[in-house]
Amino acid sequence: MRYYSTNRQAPSATLEEAVSRGLAPDKGLYTPETIKRLPPAFFHNMGEMSFQEISFIVAEAFFGEDIDANELKNIVYDTLCFDAPLVKVHDAIYSLELFHGPTLAFKDVGARFMARLLAYFNKGKRKEMRVLVATSGDTGSAVANGFLGVPGIQVYVLYPKGKVSEIQEKQFTTLGRNITAIEVNGTFDDCQRLVKSAFMDKDLQKTMNLTSANSINVARFLPQSFYYFYAYAQLLRLDITDDVVICVPSGNFGNITAGLFAKRMGLPVKRFIAANNRNDIFLQYLRTGKYEPRPSIQTLANAMDVGAPSNFARVVELYGGSHSAICADIAGAAYSDDQIRETLADVYHRYHYLLDPHGTCGYRALAEGLQTGETGIFLETAHPAKFCGTVEEIIGDKVEIPETLQRFMQGKKQTIPLEADFFSFKRYLSSLK
Ligand SMILES: *Cc1c(COP(=O)(O)O)cnc(C)c1O
């Protein structure tokens, strides 16, 4: 399968090229040239299949031409070492819990898959691959844990000193092994600048095998389609087959776009809802037909604080640029912090289901948008305990911290301090064996 750039100013790439580059040279997003439809029998039998079995079939449709079937199966099975259960909240509303992975957020799926795919491509090569990632919190933990112990790959997580929460920091500074945390005396933007400069530096390019693990990478993006199929399979077990609506709390729109790809592959989803916080650029696009990025504003659902959703280009591409086709498949909604607080507390007290601030936007958009006869699934993208300070204050109750998170909290923080200038960073990278 070849991957073309959404900007169409760069040649198409192989899977290996697309994965190791991340962004195309013309700054476009790599997108598969074809999206295969899966046979009707698959959708009939899905109810009896496991998460891993279903995902392997979906993975073959994208990656089957480029990766040996046994290897691909290992990658998929190893990635999905956890479940994604569909839990009824009330009436026709279900939560797809995507927080049972190592860092308790849906990004684990894409990060773990990408790590294993890179290791596959790097096998037998002499040079170690070095992955650089800048983080303001959550991406660093998913990527670091996704790559932990993967042979042939060293990961460097750059984060702004004193600007991430303790729980987030522990998730990528306590791991050791092939993960190095670099504590930058600066802001998140500084971290991003350092990473970008490293990729553009001719000396480093020559001497080391550098790559990025950002969220637009096809190897992080496409595997997110797996759990849409599995969600539907779990509805089949309940004898629900029609009028399924899926609602996705969205920031960069990678997650929902993977769902739109699943629909294009034949998954019988009637329509989607994109739930935003106050960063409602997509909702405004649906209303006006104009895409107008703006600086992001800080909200309680901070992983969705995005002012220029990077996967928007893939959505437009999928619908041939047609605003009306996009509106026919995707509805939108946006909520303020006050509305997030109100809904999170209400669902906890009334239905005894604890949402996190992101999932809260998804739940509310579904509860408000679902029509009679429809069945709704919202994606619960993170465990509420990851935001326990905020959540405890809203519900006026203690949040139980899962053992996985507690274990991180007991680990010892280890970092390399760095000034926010490229000279220091380059010197550090050049000193590595
Ligand atoms: C990253 C993230 C999102 C947003 O996902 P996109 O793919 O960027 O739209 C939503 N919720 C949580 C908890 C996240 O970490």
Side-chain angles (χ1 to χ4, degrees):
M1 173 100 72
R2 300 210 51 101
Y3 293 80
Y4 69 95
S5 163
T6 50
N7 282 347
R8 295 193 167 73
Q9 303 295 313
S12 69
T14 63
L15 177 63
E16 180 172 0
E17 288 163 346
V19 172
S20 44
R21 281 181 203 149
L23 205 62
D26 63 356
K27 307 250 161 41
L29 277 65
Y30 281 120
T31 302
E33 281 187 342
T34 49
I35 301 176
K36 287 187 194 147
R37 277 191 87 80
L38 295 170
F42 172 58
F43 297 102
H44 279 288
N45 302 333
M46 241 161 59
E48 278 97 66
M49 295 166 70
S50 71
F51 188 16
Q52 294 171 327
E53 287 167 338
I54 291 169
S55 303
F56 175 51
I57 289 178
V58 178
E60 276 208 298
F62 287 118
F63 309 117
E65 294 167 18
D66 300 301
I67 309 171
D68 164 77
N70 270 325
E71 294 274 5
L72 183 58
K73 191 171 181 176
N74 286 340
I75 292 173
V76 170
Y77 277 53
D78 205 28
T79 297
L80 303 175
C81 59
F82 47 89
D83 197 18
L86 190 73
V87 175
K88 184 171 179 158
V89 178
H90 64 87
D91 299 295
I93 297 189
Y94 295 82
S95 168
L96 182 68
E97 295 185 347
L98 298 176
F99 55 70
H100 296 276
T103 73
L104 310 186
F106 81 95
K107 289 188 176 73
D108 283 330
V109 174
R112 289 176 65 78
F113 189 90
M114 181 178 170
R116 282 150 188 80
L117 194 63
L118 270 184
Y120 170 78
F121 283 132
N122 206 40
K123 216 182 286 173
K125 298 202 174 140
R126 270 179 306 139
K127 262 195 215 169
E128 280 210 308
M129 194 169 257
R130 302 190 189 271
V131 173
L132 305 182
V133 58
T135 186
S136 56
D138 263 2
T139 302
S141 57
V143 169
N145 284 274
F147 282 81
L148 182 63
V150 174
I153 302 183
Q154 293 290 333
V155 177
Y156 303 87
V157 181
L158 283 79
Y159 75 103
K161 180 183 165 87
K163 295 192 177 67
V164 306
S165 75
E166 192 191 352
I167 223 167
Q168 287 175 323
E169 187 178 39
K170 289 271 187 182
Q171 286 183 313
F172 55 80
T173 58
T174 60
L175 298 166
R177 298 167 74 181
N178 60 329
I179 311 298
T180 305
I182 300 182
E183 194 170 12
V184 176
N185 190 11
T187 62
F188 170 62
D189 291 338
D190 291 326
C191 298
Q192 235 172 356
R193 185 171 44 76
L194 291 176
V195 168
K196 280 193 183 147
S197 308
F199 288 128
M200 289 187 318
D201 188 272
K202 293 270 179 306
D203 302 333
L204 292 176
Q205 259 179 9
K206 246 185 279 163
T207 52
M208 32 181 62
N209 201 352
L210 289 181
T211 188
S212 88
N214 63 16
S215 69
I216 49 90
N217 196 299
V218 285
R220 278 188 61 191
F221 160 67
L222 288 172
Q224 298 176 141
S225 60
F226 299 163
Y227 43 72
Y228 288 88
F229 290 88
Y230 182 52
Y232 185 78
Q234 294 179 76
L235 280 185
L236 280 183
R237 294 176 195 163
L238 306 169
D239 275 330
I240 299 167
T241 54
D242 296 326
D243 296 326
V244 176
V245 179
I246 299 187
C247 181
V248 188
S250 296
N252 269 320
F253 279 69
N255 203 0
I256 194 169
T257 306
L260 300 172
F261 272 55
K263 183 173 181 184
R264 196 56 68 86
M265 295 170 88
L267 187 69
V269 178
K270 185 177 166 192
R271 59 191 183 92
F272 287 84
I273 304 174
N276 285 153
N277 57 27
R278 280 181 58 223
N279 296 282
D280 65 348
I281 287 81
F282 187 76
L283 176 62
Q284 294 311 324
Y285 165 77
L286 293 177
R287 287 184 179 153
T288 64
K290 292 199 194 81
Y291 174 63
E292 296 179 320
R294 338 180 271 264
S296 63
I297 29 185
Q298 206 179 347
T299 75
L300 289 178
N302 59 8
M304 290 154 52
D305 294 349
V306 177
S310 53
N311 282 283
F312 183 74
R314 283 191 174 123
V315 178
V316 171
E317 200 60 33
L318 196 58
Y319 292 91
S322 162
H323 176 253
S324 59
I326 291 175
C327 291
D329 254 12
I330 319 169
Y335 300 104
S336 67
D337 279 356
D338 281 345
Q339 289 174 311
I340 292 174
R341 280 196 193 91
E342 169 190 289
T343 302
L344 198 155
D346 185 54
V347 171
Y348 177 69
H349 294 298
R350 205 192 307 210
Y351 304 111
H352 313 291
Y353 190 82
L354 186 58
L355 294 160
D356 93 290
H358 307 79
T360 303
C361 296
Y363 166 85
R364 181 151 175 176
L366 196 55
E368 289 179 353
L370 208 61
Q371 291 155 16
T372 321
E374 290 179 336
T375 301
I377 298 173
F378 68 94
L379 272 45
E380 187 30 303
T381 47
H383 194 288
K386 290 193 87 169
F387 313 92
C388 73
T390 311
V391 172
E392 285 182 344
E393 188 198 308
I394 294 172
I395 61 174
D397 219 340
K398 271 267 184 266
V399 173
E400 208 179 304
I401 308 291
E403 216 185 299
T404 336
L405 271 190
Q406 284 178 24
R407 263 200 306 267
F408 281 121
M409 296 309 286
Q410 286 153 10
K412 187 172 164 352
K413 169 179 155 181
Q414 278 176 310
T415 63
I416 306 272
L418 188 80
E419 289 306 317
D421 68 276
F422 183 59
F423 181 73
S424 309
F425 187 41
K426 184 169 173 178
R427 195 173 47 195
Y428 170 72
L429 286 176
S430 307
S431 75
L432 297 168
K433 289 276 146 29

Coordinates of all heavy atoms in Angstrom, one line a residue, residues 174-210:
T174 N 10.0 7.7 35.4 CA 10.4 6.7 36.3 C 10.7 5.3 35.6 O 10.9 4.3 36.3 CB 9.2 6.4 37.3 OG1 8.0 6.0 36.6 CG2 8.9 7.6 38.2
L175 N 10.6 5.3 34.3 CA 10.6 4.0 33.6 C 12.0 3.4 33.4 O 12.2 2.2 33.5 CB 10.0 4.2 32.2 CG 8.5 4.6 32.2 CD1 8.0 5.1 30.9 CD2 7.6 3.5 32.7
G176 N 13.0 4.3 33.2 CA 14.4 3.8 32.9 C 14.4 3.0 31.6 O 13.8 3.3 30.7
R177 N 15.3 2.0 31.6 CA 15.5 1.2 30.4 C 15.8 2.0 29.2 O 16.7 2.8 29.2 CB 14.4 0.2 30.2 CG 14.3 -0.8 31.4 CD 13.0 -1.5 31.4 NE 13.0 -2.6 30.4 CZ 11.9 -3.4 30.3 NH1 10.8 -3.2 31.0 NH2 11.9 -4.3 29.4
N178 N 15.0 1.9 28.1 CA 15.3 2.6 26.9 C 14.5 4.0 26.8 O 14.4 4.6 25.8 CB 14.9 1.8 25.7 CG 13.4 1.4 25.7 OD1 12.8 1.2 26.7 ND2 12.8 1.3 24.5
I179 N 14.0 4.4 28.0 CA 13.3 5.7 28.0 C 14.1 6.8 28.8 O 14.5 6.5 30.0 CB 11.9 5.6 28.7 CG1 11.2 4.4 28.1 CG2 11.1 6.9 28.6 CD1 10.8 4.4 26.7
T180 N 14.4 7.9 28.2 CA 15.1 9.0 28.9 C 14.2 10.2 28.9 O 13.7 10.6 27.9 CB 16.4 9.3 28.1 OG1 17.2 8.1 28.0 CG2 17.2 10.3 28.8
A181 N 14.0 10.7 30.1 CA 13.2 12.0 30.2 C 14.2 13.2 30.3 O 15.1 13.1 31.0 CB 12.4 11.9 31.4
I182 N 13.9 14.1 29.4 CA 14.7 15.3 29.4 C 13.9 16.5 29.9 O 12.9 16.9 29.3 CB 15.3 15.6 28.0 CG1 16.1 14.4 27.6 CG2 16.1 16.9 28.0 CD1 16.7 14.5 26.2
E183 N 14.4 17.1 31.0 CA 13.6 18.1 31.7 C 14.1 19.5 31.2 O 15.2 19.9 31.6 CB 13.8 17.9 33.2 CG 12.9 18.7 34.1 CD 13.1 18.3 35.6 OE1 14.1 17.5 35.9 OE2 12.2 18.7 36.4
V184 N 13.4 20.1 30.4 CA 13.8 21.3 29.7 C 13.5 22.5 30.6 O 12.3 22.7 31.0 CB 13.2 21.4 28.3 CG1 13.6 22.7 27.7 CG2 13.6 20.2 27.5
N185 N 14.5 23.4 30.8 CA 14.2 24.6 31.5 C 13.6 25.6 30.6 O 14.2 26.5 30.0 CB 15.6 25.1 32.1 CG 15.4 26.3 33.0 OD1 14.2 26.5 33.5 ND2 16.5 27.0 33.4
G186 N 12.3 25.5 30.3 CA 11.5 26.3 29.4 C 10.1 25.9 29.3 O 9.6 25.2 30.2
T187 N 9.5 26.2 28.2 CA 8.0 25.9 28.0 C 7.9 24.7 27.0 O 8.9 24.2 26.4 CB 7.3 27.1 27.3 OG1 8.0 27.3 26.0 CG2 7.5 28.4 28.1
F188 N 6.6 24.3 26.8 CA 6.3 23.2 25.9 C 6.8 23.6 24.5 O 7.3 22.8 23.7 CB 4.8 22.9 25.9 CG 4.4 21.9 24.8 CD1 5.0 20.7 24.7 CD2 3.5 22.3 23.9 CE1 4.6 19.8 23.7 CE2 3.1 21.5 22.8 CZ 3.7 20.2 22.7
D189 N 6.5 24.9 24.1 CA 6.9 25.3 22.8 C 8.4 25.2 22.6 O 8.9 24.9 21.5 CB 6.5 26.8 22.6 CG 5.0 26.9 22.5 OD1 4.3 25.9 22.1 OD2 4.4 28.0 22.7
D190 N 9.2 25.5 23.7 CA 10.7 25.3 23.6 C 11.0 23.8 23.3 O 11.8 23.6 22.4 CB 11.3 25.7 24.9 CG 11.3 27.2 25.2 OD1 11.4 28.0 24.2 OD2 11.2 27.6 26.3
C191 N 10.3 22.9 24.0 CA 10.6 21.5 23.7 C 10.3 21.1 22.3 O 11.1 20.4 21.7 CB 9.7 20.6 24.7 SG 10.0 20.9 26.4
Q192 N 9.2 21.6 21.8 CA 8.8 21.3 20.4 C 9.8 21.9 19.4 O 10.2 21.2 18.4 CB 7.4 21.9 20.1 CG 6.5 20.8 19.6 CD 5.1 21.3 19.5 OE1 4.7 22.5 19.8 NE2 4.2 20.5 19.0
R193 N 10.3 23.1 19.7 CA 11.3 23.7 18.9 C 12.6 22.9 18.8 O 13.2 22.7 17.8 CB 11.5 25.1 19.4 CG 12.4 26.0 18.5 CD 12.5 27.4 19.0 NE 12.6 27.6 20.4 CZ 13.7 27.4 21.1 NH1 14.8 27.1 20.5 NH2 13.7 27.5 22.5
L194 N 13.0 22.4 20.0 CA 14.2 21.6 20.1 C 14.1 20.4 19.2 O 15.0 20.0 18.5 CB 14.6 21.3 21.5 CG 15.0 22.4 22.5 CD1 15.1 21.9 23.9 CD2 16.2 23.1 22.0
V195 N 13.0 19.7 19.4 CA 12.7 18.5 18.6 C 12.7 18.8 17.1 O 13.4 18.1 16.3 CB 11.4 17.8 19.0 CG1 11.0 16.7 18.1 CG2 11.6 17.2 20.4
K196 N 12.0 19.8 16.7 CA 12.0 20.2 15.3 C 13.4 20.5 14.7 O 13.7 20.1 13.6 CB 11.0 21.3 15.0 CG 9.6 20.9 15.0 CD 8.7 22.0 14.5 CE 7.2 21.5 14.6 NZ 6.3 22.6 14.8
S197 N 14.1 21.3 15.5 CA 15.5 21.7 15.1 C 16.4 20.4 14.9 O 17.2 20.4 14.0 CB 16.1 22.6 16.1 OG 15.3 23.7 16.3
A198 N 16.2 19.5 15.8 CA 17.0 18.3 15.7 C 16.7 17.5 14.4 O 17.6 17.0 13.7 CB 16.7 17.3 16.9
F199 N 15.5 17.5 14.0 CA 15.1 16.8 12.8 C 15.7 17.5 11.6 O 15.9 16.9 10.5 CB 13.6 16.6 12.6 CG 13.0 15.6 13.6 CD1 11.9 15.9 14.4 CD2 13.5 14.3 13.6 CE1 11.4 15.0 15.2 CE2 13.0 13.4 14.5 CZ 11.9 13.8 15.3
M200 N 15.8 18.8 11.7 CA 16.3 19.6 10.5 C 17.8 19.7 10.5 O 18.4 20.1 9.5 CB 15.7 21.0 10.5 CG 14.2 20.8 10.2 SD 13.3 22.4 9.9 CE 14.0 23.4 11.2
D201 N 18.5 19.3 11.5 CA 19.9 19.5 11.6 C 20.7 18.4 10.8 O 20.5 17.2 10.9 CB 20.4 19.3 13.1 CG 21.8 19.7 13.3 OD1 22.7 18.8 13.1 OD2 22.1 20.9 13.5
K202 N 21.5 18.9 9.8 CA 22.2 18.1 8.8 C 23.1 17.1 9.5 O 23.2 15.9 9.1 CB 22.9 18.9 7.8 CG 22.0 19.7 6.9 CD 21.6 18.9 5.6 CE 20.7 19.7 4.7 NZ 19.5 20.2 5.3
D203 N 23.9 17.6 10.5 CA 24.9 16.7 11.2 C 24.2 15.6 11.9 O 24.6 14.4 11.7 CB 25.7 17.5 12.2 CG 26.4 18.7 11.6 OD1 26.7 18.6 10.4 OD2 26.6 19.6 12.4
L204 N 23.1 15.9 12.6 CA 22.4 14.8 13.3 C 21.8 13.8 12.4 O 21.8 12.6 12.6 CB 21.3 15.4 14.3 CG 21.9 16.3 15.4 CD1 20.7 16.9 16.2 CD2 22.7 15.4 16.4
Q205 N 21.2 14.4 11.3 CA 20.6 13.5 10.3 C 21.6 12.5 9.7 O 21.2 11.4 9.5 CB 20.1 14.4 9.1 CG 18.6 14.7 9.2 CD 18.2 15.6 8.0 OE1 18.9 15.8 7.1 NE2 16.9 16.0 8.0
K206 N 22.8 13.0 9.5 CA 23.8 12.1 9.0 C 24.2 11.0 9.9 O 24.4 9.9 9.6 CB 25.0 12.9 8.6 CG 25.2 13.0 7.0 CD 26.5 13.7 6.7 CE 26.3 15.2 6.7 NZ 27.5 16.0 6.7
T207 N 24.4 11.4 11.2 CA 25.0 10.5 12.1 C 24.0 9.6 12.9 O 24.3 8.5 13.4 CB 25.9 11.2 13.2 OG1 25.0 12.3 13.7 CG2 27.1 11.8 12.5
M208 N 22.7 10.0 13.0 CA 21.8 9.2 13.8 C 20.5 9.0 13.1 O 20.1 9.7 12.2 CB 21.6 9.7 15.2 CG 21.7 11.1 15.5 SD 21.4 11.5 17.2 CE 22.8 10.7 18.0
N209 N 19.8 7.9 13.5 CA 18.6 7.5 12.9 C 17.4 8.1 13.8 O 16.9 7.5 14.7 CB 18.6 6.0 13.0 CG 17.6 5.4 12.0 OD1 16.9 6.1 11.4 ND2 17.7 4.0 11.9
L210 N 17.1 9.4 13.5 CA 16.1 10.1 14.3 C 14.7 9.9 13.8 O 14.5 10.0 12.5 CB 16.4 11.6 14.4 CG 17.6 12.0 15.2 CD1 17.7 13.5 15.1 CD2 17.6 11.5 16.6

